[in-house]
């Protein structure tokens, strides 16, 4: 493995917020930032830069609707670790985005389904004009048809976007899928950096991430103790331990887990949990499994499996969030 | 992946017993056997065939000291799923072993460190003479020097042993190690079947197992819900879901987990737990981590990490069990 060609992007605050409705204290986010900095992690995604005005019923904390004045109170001493924010199509108000030289943010990532790639690239164009690094994160790739992807690539190649992400939204991919997709993206997007964002439904997030890294993928998404929606993500502590560059140090990440994450995991649920494993195996959105885990039937695995595999049940709608 | 070239060997009762001192009810073992049979699993390891006389202070249940009369009361209706038992060098009394035609067991596996391969092969010779299928499971391969392994291979090639196992005792291997070792074993043991027994310290047990399978390894060790010592093993439910042969069905495995394993996991601990992850990353025996988890300091990860990585601390002894 090349030793210095990767950027770890920790998205605990952003993706983990999907678990606990962004119920993170300022102290936790500070500890996360300075701990990741010590660990040598290159980027921390500190939340969503969506607009509360555009999201009905939104009651989540500041990490879902990042505000620059607030951010400056939290990150009072910026380190070499860059900050990123994610935006969703149709949920971001461009007027909220300051030029980069007035912002603590360095990278703005746009999450999109394949059908909205054009809209995502319009946003990228604007953020790029403001001076930000940009990425486009194509979600639910395991449900995308080849011809749609090829069309999207043509548009992406015309865009100034820096990084294109392979997102395993359903945690259904294994090493063969990563091998295939990374090769395809490299061939068809020769001038773009690539990233991987893996979910852990089948305990393959770390394995898939190092497989991508070994093929030359530059951006590796992780979260501390794997905290993220449903089965969660590739654990930061594993990637920091695995990569050979001497700047990486797992010790501060262990400190964050010890101080915060064990108690958080007792309060909130993520990780290898059988209904999420079933959803991953079936290449299905975790929505049904998340609903099950919030119900009294949360451990009725066989009934859940029968329901999802019954030929009489229509597939769930994969495009509503 | 070839679709019918693999044998799944579930070792929940044997390796899982290291977690709970074999505190398994007869009903649980019956449910396990008939559930695995329905799932299409080819082998179930029902315990150790060690001798209580040779193990000081042994107070564990019948699954550690399998007795044929007792076994016949448990497995009253044998299916296509074969039964295996593990023996440890120096802990098995050969007089306890019946000829295969008087036994419910089909396969006897001998666990050995590299230094005892000769002793292991002596046992294999006897069990083979009794009509059993046999395997030799070489533990702690990540601590074995190449020349010792080459010498062992010469002896193994002269032996009637059917299966030779690559055992990642410390959960420290990744896909590159599996690729390297499987290729080496295939080259130097051309007439033997191979097996993999992986531990899950770094969430790589499933990934390493399917990597081995894709290279042609026939015997794949698993345990239901990953139950096994320390970080546990490759989960049976993931392998049964992954392999393409139509005989495999994950549904009965989900039934075992729902009925038994969720409650068991609340009572006993195994899986992705930070001190085991640290031991895996450091390629170290889980002994120190297991001691930590039994102490009041069980979540003091940084202190534990510092202790294991301090240059003043001598490495632990890797040969005492």
């Amino acid at each position: 493995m090349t030793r210095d060609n990767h950027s770890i992007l920790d998205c605990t605050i952003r993706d983990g917020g999907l678990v606990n409705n962004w119920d993170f204290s300022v102290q936790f986010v500070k500890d996360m930032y300075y701990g990741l900095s010590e660990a040598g992690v290159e980027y921390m995604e500190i939340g969503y830069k969506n607009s509360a005005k555009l999201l009905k019923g939104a009651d989540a904390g500041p990490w879902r609707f990042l505000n620059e004045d607030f951010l400056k109170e939290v990150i009072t001493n910026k380190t070499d670790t860059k900050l990123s924010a994610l935006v969703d199509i149709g949920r971001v108000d461009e007027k909220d985005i300051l030029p980069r030289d007035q912002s603590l943010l360095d990278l703005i990532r746009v999450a999109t389904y394949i059908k909205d790639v054009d809209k995502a690239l319009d946003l990228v164009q604007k953020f790029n004009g403001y001076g930000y690094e940009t990425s486009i994160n194509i979600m639910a790739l395991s449900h995308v048809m080849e011809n749609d992807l090829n069309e999207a690539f043509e548009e992406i190649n015309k865009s100034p976007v820096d990084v294109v992400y392979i997102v395993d939204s359903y945690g259904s991919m294994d090493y063969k899928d990563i091998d295939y997709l990374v090769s395809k993206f490299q061939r068809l997007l020769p001038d773009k950096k690539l990233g991987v964002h893996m979910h852990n439904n089948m305990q393959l997030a770390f394995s898939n991430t190092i497989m991508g890294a070994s093929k030359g993928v530059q951006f590796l998404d992780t979260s501390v103790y794997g905290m993220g929606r449903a089965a969660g993500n590739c654990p930061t502590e594993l990637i920091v331990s695995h990569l050979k560059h001497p700047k990486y140090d797992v010790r501060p990440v262990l400190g964050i887990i010890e101080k915060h994450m064990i108690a958080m995991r007792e309060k909130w649920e993520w990780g290898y949990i059988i209904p999420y494993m079933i959803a991953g195996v079936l290449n299905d959105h975790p929505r049904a499994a998340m609903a099950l885990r919030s119900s009294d039937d949360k451990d009725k695995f066989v009934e859940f499996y029968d329901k999802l595999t019954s030929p009489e049940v229509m597939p769930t709608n994969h495009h509503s969030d």
Side-chain angles (χ1 to χ4, degrees), chain A residues 160-186:
Chain A
V161 69
D162 300 296
V163 188
V164 182
Y165 263 88
I166 296 168
V167 183
D168 179 19
S169 299
Y170 305 145
S172 62
M173 295 185 189
D174 65 21
Y175 65 97
K176 283 177 294 184
D177 303 308
I178 300 303
D179 188 48
Y180 175 79
L181 285 173
V182 171
S183 296
K184 181 180 173 82
F185 276 56
Q186 285 173 329

Side-chain angles (χ1 to χ4, degrees), chain A residues 2 4 30 97 181 185 208:
Chain A
T2 54
D4 50 8
K30 279 177 187 275
I97 312 280
L181 285 173
F185 276 56
N208 286 344

Side-chain angles (χ1 to χ4, degrees), chain A residues 218-233:
Chain A
Q218 292 95 335
F219 277 72
L220 310 175
D221 276 21
T222 65
S223 64
V224 176
Y225 208 44
M227 186 183 189
R229 184 167 72 164
N233 304 306

Side-chain angles (χ1 to χ4, degrees), chain A residues 184-317:
Chain A
K184 181 180 173 82
F185 276 56
Q186 285 173 329
R187 192 171 68 247
L188 296 177
L189 299 169
D191 300 326
K192 302 301 182 188
K193 291 178 189 159
L194 299 185
V196 284
H197 179 95
M198 299 289 122
H199 281 278
N200 212 16
N201 302 59
M202 302 192 296
Q203 302 191 357
L204 291 176
F206 175 51
S207 164
N208 286 344
T209 302
I210 62 178
M211 191 65 61
S214 77
K215 289 182 65 85
V217 168
Q218 292 95 335
F219 277 72
L220 310 175
D221 276 21
T222 65
S223 64
V224 176
Y225 208 44
M227 186 183 189
R229 184 167 72 164
N233 304 306
C234 170
T236 307
E237 63 273 18
L238 290 174
I239 287 289
V240 167
S241 301
H242 178 83
L243 294 179
K244 299 294 181 215
H245 196 291
K247 76 173 164 178
Y248 294 123
D249 181 7
V250 72
R251 192 177 183 278
V253 185
L254 298 175
I256 297 169
I257 299 173
E258 178 177 332
K259 183 171 175 189
H260 295 288
M261 309 298 290
I262 299 298
M264 287 169 66
R265 181 60 186 80
E266 280 174 20
K267 199 164 164 191
W268 297 299
E269 175 177 286
W270 71 86
Y272 183 69
I273 291 159
I274 293 298
Y276 300 139
M277 169 264 177
I278 293 171
V281 162
L282 298 176
N283 186 15
D284 214 357
H285 193 287
R287 190 181 299 114
M290 289 164 74
L292 184 82
R293 294 302 294 173
S294 302
S295 77
D296 291 341
D297 294 336
K298 66 183 186 142
D299 288 330
K300 294 197 174 160
F301 308 142
V302 174
E303 196 178 293
F304 179 71
Y305 180 76
D306 286 346
K307 201 169 141 190
L308 287 196
T309 54
S310 161
E312 286 141 42
V313 172
M314 292 298 291
T316 51
N317 169 13

Side-chain angles (χ1 to χ4, degrees), chain A residues 2 19 23 27 59 71-72 79 101 103 143 151 162-163 226 245:
Chain A
T2 54
V19 172
D23 186 6
Q27 189 58 51
D59 62 349
L71 255 189
K72 281 173 184 127
T79 66
D101 57 13
S103 172
H143 285 198
E151 267 181 48
D162 300 296
V163 188
H245 196 291

